Amino acid sequence: MIVFRYDNSFEGLLSAIFDAFSLKKWPQLILAPDEVLPLLTSEEYYVQTTEGKYSRVSLAMKKRLSKTALMQLTYVWYSELPERSLLIFNYLAKIFKATHDISHNFADLDILAIKKLAKKVSHERHYLMMFIRFNAIDNQGDKVYFATVSPRYNSLPLTIDFFQDRFADQKWAIFDTKRQYGYFYDLAQTEIITLNEQDNFLVNGSINDDFLSPSEKQFQHMWYRYCQSITIKERINPKLQRQFMPTRFWQHLPETWHDLDNI
Amino acid sequence: MKDSTIKKLEILAESAKYDVSCASSGTTRKNQNGGIGSARGWGICHSYTADGRCVSLLKIMLTNFCLYDCAYCVNRRSNDIERAAFSPKELAELTIEFYRRNYIEGLFLSSGIIKNADHTMERMIRVIKDLRTVHRFNGYIHMKTIPGASSELVYQAGLYADRLSVNLEIATEPNLKHLAPDKDHQSIYLPMRHIQQHMIENKEERQKFRHAPKFAAAGQSTQIIVGATDETDQQILQLTSKLYKRPSMKRVYYSGFVPVNSYDKRLPVVKDVPRIRENRLYQADWLLRFYHFNVDEIVNDDHQELDLDMDPKLSWAIRNPSYFPIDINRASYEKILRVPGIGVKSARLIVSARRHGRLNLDALKRIGVVLKRAQFFIICHEMHSFKLQEASADYIRLSLKEPSGLEQAQAKQAPKQLVMTL
Ligand code: SF4
């Protein structure tokens, strides 16, 4: 079995496509640098990532694929799943070999697999738009709306345009505690950030109460009480609630914090 | 914010919660001039209550004081509940604070009637005008129009709101008069007509002057209470279908009657909210809006009530065996759309995928067709015989009943007979 190894970047993956076509070699596996080689490997090939290769593939992609298909590939890439490399590779190989546009043939397994995984990532993105909760914090006299999240896939970058458009007149930051990076919008632009003194600022993935603006707890409390009041007791159905609002997000949702009852 | 604000918030949320409309969809607005907020075409839910309903908007009343005495409403004058009122400024500020934290998509504002319809409307308009002009808010606003409101105020409201609604509540006029002595259909249909009129005029105006302000871009909606009076599903859906023929009507909501008034002899004694019926009505509504069904196909004189055991699409299919089988590889999109087990999405996928080759059962499954249902109504590549002819209507009825009656009763033997002949 032929195995390709690449540098685990999107450009690297496109370079792998380029190499495969020029060498006429079709790998059964594509591995990142730290992944273990399977036993039955007959040949291991190292992909060099170079601009000459990936920009040509990228150009060809843009020519052959619709906007939706390109977006699906981006989403699949952000899934971070190890199998994504081979999925994207097989998909692109198929598209480039075909004589006509087959990107809508959803009876095809490779094409359907891309669509399905893209959908999952896009769901996660949507969950973030739904369930990100900003907390007003005091940052040296400056009010910043801060949110922490830990999405299943690396979907945060896919939401930045949305939040930038929506919260254009407030400073905000969203931090992915699972991947330890985030974004900060300062009323003009959005930049990638990391945190240094986290031990203090974040406690178990949530913001330390000491940093919250004085009235913040009160708004969380109001939101909690609002959600309680709007519930129709005659129709209570917690199963339905969990189905729509997965419990893994509850940590960030004040409306589910029953200890706010006693404030 | 003070403690009194929290108390008011609770009282006025309690009072607003029976309005089932929650959608924040139907319009797209980008953030303008660096203000706050935007609206997305498909709407976003931000939370779900313990009863499983989506919370998208801050659904709240400006006040729950009310002059009227509608029997089915918690806020009726004769009901002994706590009353409260927000000031317009206070409510606008609260909306913005919630919005900034990404709790909500916007505001759904309703109100009890104080003094008279127009006075109440004016106060409500103050809230949404504040939001748009003082806070430069671009998020979604839905405002409930007060029955009997004047055309001029409806117009003003539509300049700031994305959607306006007037709730019909009770489908037939005599029943409405009976339960809500202060209202009649005229007081509801008239503002509905104002909204439509202003929308049509606004459209023409915007064709001439591109920058003329938009009027209620997301159209209007209404709500019908189900189960408080004796209307049949046929009566309700016929009304719905008429309403949808009006260009401005975007959604009809159905609200299963919640017994909020146990002593009133005019109301039926009910134990549970009629959830299944409510759900069937939404499914039927869906068939009207997205599946190109005609209302008479769903309910008619021979079939006045929706089947509670199965969804209306399946029920229709079983009543119309002559329509089937549908050949998946040849039939038009419209026809495929009518097959139980095939939704709008899978119908679209089928039509686009079959250009690349004939589809077999495996492919259909992968596309997302629910074969358990669809199998009785289709033929496709590699599937020669047509199931519906072999199976009696009763058999299908039983095997597809929700919750699956046959499966539970006969355990594993039954499905064997259903194995496909390939
Ligand atoms: S007018 Fe509206 S708020 Fe007042 S009692 Fe009737 S339904 Fe309730």
Side-chain angles (χ1 to χ4, degrees):
Chain A
M1 134 157 94
I2 306 180
V3 171
F4 275 22
R5 222 183 249 288
Y6 78 118
D7 62 4
N8 211 16
S9 70
F10 195 67
E11 290 77 20
L13 190 57
L14 298 190
S15 304
I17 281 278
F18 185 93
D19 287 357
F21 272 90
S22 49
L23 302 167
K24 301 225 165 8
K25 274 188 184 165
W26 309 104
Q28 267 94 36
L29 257 188
I30 298 185
L31 298 180
D34 54 344
E35 284 180 289
V36 186
L37 208 62
L39 278 180
L40 296 170
T41 309
S42 58
E43 188 186 339
E44 194 180 2
Y45 171 78
Y46 285 85
V47 177
Q48 294 287 334
T49 305
T50 66
E51 214 218 307
K53 294 188 213 165
Y54 65 71
S55 52
R56 273 182 67 185
V57 177
S58 161
L59 210 67
M61 278 165 69
K62 278 182 197 134
K63 246 189 228 156
R64 305 228 24 185
L65 289 170
S66 67
K67 267 214 175 86
T68 327
L70 287 170
M71 193 159 77
Q72 281 175 352
L73 289 180
T74 316
Y75 277 33
V76 168
W77 177 255
Y78 278 113
S79 77
E80 292 182 326
L81 296 181
E83 63 265 31
R84 71 190 165 159
S85 339
L86 194 63
L87 270 177
I88 296 174
F89 183 95
N90 286 344
Y91 178 94
L92 285 178
K94 204 167 240 176
I95 294 286
F96 289 142
K97 280 179 193 167
T99 49
H100 62 287
D101 181 11
I102 53 165
S103 63
H104 287 284
N105 183 10
F106 296 111
D108 182 285
L109 281 178
D110 289 323
I111 289 163
L112 195 71
I114 289 284
K115 183 183 155 71
K116 281 199 169 149
L117 184 51
K119 190 107 236 180
K120 284 189 189 165
V121 179
S122 138
H123 263 157
E124 195 70 2
R125 168 178 178 267
H126 203 78
Y127 276 145
L128 293 182
M129 303 192 310
M130 295 162 86
F131 301 136
I132 272 189
R133 293 286 183 266
F134 288 113
N135 305 267
I137 59 166
D138 270 332
N139 187 29
Q140 290 145 7
D142 221 10
K143 195 182 219 177
V144 177
Y145 289 84
F146 202 102
T148 52
V149 280
S150 48
R152 199 168 260 174
Y153 309 111
N154 186 17
S155 319
L156 187 55
L158 306 167
T159 64
I160 295 310
D161 283 354
F162 170 78
F163 287 110
Q164 211 170 264
D165 177 51
R166 176 155 291 194
F167 299 106
D169 76 337
Q170 72 193 40
K171 293 186 182 176
W172 53 262
I174 308 172
F175 191 77
D176 182 336
T177 53
K178 197 160 155 188
R179 296 168 186 81
Q180 290 295 323
Y181 81 98
Y183 293 87
F184 173 58
Y185 170 77
D186 65 1
L187 298 181
Q189 53 196 20
T190 310
E191 277 173 58
I192 295 188
I193 51 163
T194 52
L195 292 179
N196 324 336
E197 288 164 74
Q198 286 194 39
D199 317 359
N200 193 14
F201 181 62
L202 295 182
V203 182
N204 297 327
S206 298
I207 299 162
N208 183 344
D209 281 359
D210 297 347
F211 289 85
L212 298 179
S213 293
S215 59
E216 183 55 26
K217 276 276 159 213
Q218 227 180 343
F219 283 111
Q220 293 175 355
H221 182 46
M222 277 206 249
W223 176 237
Y224 169 82
R225 297 289 277 264
Y226 173 76
C227 289
Q228 296 290 313
S229 305
I230 202 88
T231 303
I232 298 181
K233 275 70 200 177
E234 290 87 342
R235 304 181 64 139
I236 272 191
N237 188 349
K239 222 178 109 189
L240 203 60
Q241 183 187 28
R242 278 195 299 271
Q243 183 186 322
F244 291 131
M245 189 163 75
T247 43
R248 63 196 167 92
F249 290 99
W250 287 27
Q251 184 194 355
H252 307 295
L253 305 175
E255 61 267 37
T256 65
W257 303 343
H258 289 271
D259 57 334
L260 286 176
D261 242 341
N262 310 318
I263 291 184
Chain B
M1 297 267 165
K2 295 171 254 110
D3 279 355
S4 65
T5 312
I6 296 192
K7 192 73 209 144
K8 281 189 213 171
L9 179 67
E10 280 182 317
I11 294 172
L12 294 167
E14 278 275 347
S15 282
K17 71 183 175 189
Y18 297 105
D19 211 302
V20 291
S21 150
C22 87
S24 53
S25 55
T27 181
T28 298
R29 190 176 329 95
K30 287 227 115 202
N31 189 306
Q32 286 152 8
N33 45 49
I36 174 170
S38 63
R40 291 251 146 168
W42 59 89
I44 296 176
C45 291
H46 286 271
S47 192
Y48 290 86
T49 54
D51 59 37
R53 292 186 307 160
C54 137
V55 184
S56 166
L57 304 171
L58 173 62
K59 192 189 292 180
I60 195 87
M61 291 188 111
L62 186 57
T63 174
N64 65 345
F65 286 103
C66 191
L67 287 174
Y68 286 12
D69 209 30
C70 311
Y72 48 78
C73 175
V74 258
N75 303 312
R76 64 187 181 279
R77 189 187 57 221
S78 62
N79 199 19
D80 180 21
I81 53 166
E82 271 188 279
R83 307 279 170 172
F86 275 121
S87 76
K89 185 162 172 272
E90 187 181 23
L91 187 52
E93 278 166 12
L94 183 66
T95 307
I96 291 293
E97 291 291 351
F98 276 8
Y99 194 88
R100 289 201 181 285
R101 288 164 175 78
N102 204 38
Y103 294 168
I104 51 171
E105 280 296 284
L107 176 68
F108 176 6
L109 182 61
S110 63
S111 179
I113 301 173
I114 36 170
K115 271 196 194 157
N116 56 53
D118 278 359
H119 172 82
T120 310
M121 280 290 278
E122 274 171 14
R123 285 188 72 81
M124 294 168 87
I125 291 170
R126 286 244 296 278
V127 181
I128 64 177
K129 186 177 174 186
D130 247 27
L131 278 172
R132 293 286 192 229
T133 56
V134 179
H135 298 282
R136 295 193 301 160
F137 177 67
N138 299 298
Y140 194 84
I141 296 177
H142 177 162
M143 183 176 134
K144 204 155 117 185
T145 310
I146 302 296
S150 67
S151 171
E152 168 54 25
L153 288 176
V154 168
Y155 176 70
Q156 290 230 356
L159 292 183
Y160 305 112
D162 294 288
R163 174 167 286 178
L164 294 173
S165 61
V166 202
N167 283 358
L168 258 167
E169 308 292 17
I170 305 294
T172 55
E173 169 106 50
N175 279 341
L176 178 72
K177 276 250 81 144
H178 187 54
L179 291 186
D182 310 298
K183 288 184 188 165
D184 54 31
H185 268 178
Q186 191 55 21
S187 66
I188 293 161
Y189 283 127
L190 206 59
M192 270 189 190
R193 233 169 285 141
H194 293 327
I195 297 172
Q196 177 166 323
Q197 198 54 42
H198 291 311
M199 271 185 75
I200 293 169
E201 284 167 11
N202 183 247
K203 214 173 180 180
E204 287 168 7
E205 208 171 314
R206 285 175 55 81
Q207 271 160 3
K208 275 188 259 157
F209 313 101
R210 230 161 32 88
H211 294 292
K214 257 192 203 168
F215 178 89
Q220 61 174 321
S221 65
T222 192
Q223 163 174 298
I224 300 172
I225 298 176
V226 180
T229 42
D230 59 4
E231 284 87 1
T232 61
D233 292 338
Q234 184 190 14
Q235 282 174 302
I236 292 172
L237 286 168
Q238 229 130 31
L239 175 62
T240 297
S241 141
K242 260 197 225 124
L243 289 171
Y244 281 143
K245 295 220 167 79
R246 305 178 172 198
S248 60
M249 184 59 70
K250 289 296 179 300
R251 282 297 296 273
V252 175
Y253 291 92
Y254 309 90
S255 162
F257 175 57
V258 181
V260 292
N261 182 353
S262 52
Y263 55 80
D264 198 314
K265 294 282 170 297
R266 291 170 293 175
L267 291 166
V269 180
V270 289
K271 222 169 64 245
D272 294 315
V273 183
R275 272 187 233 200
I276 302 178
R277 184 178 178 203
E278 188 191 279
N279 185 31
R280 295 291 178 235
L281 281 166
Y282 277 114
Q283 287 171 327
D285 187 277
W286 205 258
L287 292 183
L288 292 175
R289 285 187 299 141
F290 301 112
Y291 289 77
H292 314 277
F293 273 79
N294 188 310
V295 64
D296 299 320
E297 295 177 288
I298 306 168
V299 277
N300 48 51
D301 292 343
D302 297 330
H303 191 79
Q304 295 187 8
E305 302 289 347
L306 295 172
D307 227 315
L308 291 183
D309 288 337
M310 66 176 86
D311 70 69
K313 194 179 183 194
L314 181 60
S315 169
W316 171 83
I318 288 177
R319 280 182 280 130
N320 292 278
S322 58
Y323 186 85
F324 301 98
I326 296 296
D327 185 340
I328 290 296
N329 287 300
R330 279 169 224 265
S332 67
Y333 169 75
E334 293 279 316
K335 289 198 154 168
I336 291 176
L337 207 49
R338 291 194 165 219
V339 176
I342 298 184
V344 173
K345 264 192 216 150
S346 26
R348 288 216 187 107
L349 285 180
I350 287 171
V351 175
S352 88
R354 71 184 180 185
R355 280 189 233 127
H356 302 273
R358 284 195 290 173
L359 302 176
N360 57 19
L361 288 173
D362 256 357
L364 288 182
K365 209 192 249 161
R366 266 183 263 136
I367 278 171
V369 173
V370 185
L371 281 178
K372 194 178 157 214
R373 299 171 150 249
Q375 60 169 339
F376 296 105
F377 308 100
I378 56 169
I379 47 174
C380 65
H381 193 43
E382 294 174 5
M383 176 186 174
H384 303 300
S385 75
F386 168 47
K387 273 287 174 186
L388 188 57
Q389 280 163 351
E390 296 159 31
S392 74
D394 280 339
Y395 187 80
I396 301 175
R397 201 178 269 276
L398 265 178
S399 62
L400 293 181
K401 219 169 124 171
E402 303 159 7
S404 43
L406 191 73
E407 262 176 316
Q408 268 161 21
Q410 300 186 352
K412 289 200 176 73
Q413 292 153 355
K416 249 186 219 152
Q417 301 165 354
L418 289 176
V419 167
M420 302 278 157
T421 29
L422 293 182

